[in-house]
């Protein structure tokens, strides 16, 4: 009888202890307002974009863009973006692309929410490829949305048009619409 009572008391205590614990759910958004995009702050991060596979030509391509910038005024950041890409072509060598492009990013005050902001970004730079001949012009115009998951980290989705006049295997120019997913860290500047 004592064992049954002791077992029942321990079982009941275990159930009460388990139900009293808070379960931590991952944070999915943060109320940030204009704080991350204020003058003097920094932005560091990158995106993975133009991910695609062509079934007709059996081509695969991917682009990675690390970037860093500085907010010269509230909602306006200028900085530098690096470009790295890979395109696989059947029965040929892989095409490696590279480049560097200064960018300007503007965060729209209209349409923003407590945890997200729309933005537009333009960049002009130089790019090249291997195999290829020399450097050439690279342009980009993109729009996107930054969703803040913490006070200083945002997940981003962008879509836009990118152009490169790199010479690859006798053909000149690459351009097209693309999408990218990435993240940015917004670092506060000294006040």
């Amino acid at each position: 009888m004592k064992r049954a009572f002791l077992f029942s008391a321990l079982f009941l205590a275990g159930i009460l202890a388990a139900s009293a614990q808070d379960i931590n759910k991952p944070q999915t958004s943060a109320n940030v307002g204009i704080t991350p995009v204020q003058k003097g702050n920094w932005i560091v991060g990158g995106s993975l974009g133009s991910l695609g596979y062509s079934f007709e030509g059996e081509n695969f391509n991917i682009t990675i863009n690390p970037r860093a910038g500085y907010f010269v005024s509230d909602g306006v950041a200028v900085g530098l973006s690096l470009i790295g890409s890979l395109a696989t072509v059947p029965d040929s060598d892989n095409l490696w692309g590279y480049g560097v492009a200064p960018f300007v990013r503007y965060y729209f005050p209209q349409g923003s929410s407590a945890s997200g902001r729309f933005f537009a970004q333009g960049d002009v730079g130089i790019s090249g490829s291997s195999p290829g001949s020399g450097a050439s012009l690279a342009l980009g115009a993109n729009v996107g949305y930054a969703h803040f998951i913490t006070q200083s980290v945002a997940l981003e989705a962008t879509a836009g048009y990118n152009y490169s006049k790199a010479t690859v295997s006798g053909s000149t120019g690459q351009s097209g619409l693309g999408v990218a997913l990435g993240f940015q860290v917004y670092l506060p500047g000294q006040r």
Side-chain angles (χ1 to χ4, degrees):
M1 180 82 163
K2 288 182 183 181
R3 287 185 184 175
F5 178 72
L6 181 60
F7 177 74
S8 298
L10 288 174
F11 182 73
L12 184 59
I15 290 177
L16 291 175
S19 65
Q21 293 182 6
D22 286 336
I23 297 175
N24 292 332
K25 295 180 183 175
Q27 184 172 344
T28 58
S29 64
N31 185 356
V32 294
I34 193 170
T35 304
V37 296
Q38 288 180 332
K39 180 179 178 178
N41 289 353
W42 292 87
I43 182 174
V44 178
S47 62
L48 186 65
S50 300
L51 183 63
Y53 181 80
S54 169
F55 290 103
E56 293 89 17
E58 296 182 1
N59 298 344
F60 172 79
N61 60 10
I62 188 169
T63 303
I64 186 167
N65 295 100
R67 70 179 56 89
Y70 178 76
F71 284 92
V72 294
S73 69
D74 288 352
V76 178
V78 296
L80 190 64
S81 177
L82 301 177
I83 303 164
S85 66
L86 168 67
T88 61
V89 182
D91 303 325
S92 182
D93 291 336
N94 292 338
L95 302 174
W96 294 93
Y98 53 88
V100 62
F103 71 87
V104 175
R105 182 180 276 197
Y106 175 73
Y107 290 84
F108 296 102
Q110 304 85 6
S112 64
S113 67
S115 63
R117 301 188 70 82
F118 288 100
F119 63 87
Q121 178 175 313
D123 40 349
V124 177
I126 56 172
S127 66
S129 63
S130 171
S133 60
S136 64
L137 178 66
L139 301 170
N142 294 280
V143 295
Y145 182 75
H147 177 75
F148 288 88
I149 56 174
T150 69
Q151 291 291 324
S152 60
V153 176
L155 297 177
E156 294 182 348
T158 60
Y161 181 80
N162 294 294
Y163 170 81
S164 174
K165 196 174 177 173
T167 302
V168 179
S169 302
S171 66
T172 302
Q174 295 175 288
S175 60
L177 299 174
V179 296
L181 297 173
F183 73 95
Q184 299 295 327
V185 177
Y186 294 79
L187 302 171
Q190 294 181 358
R191 305 238 185 263

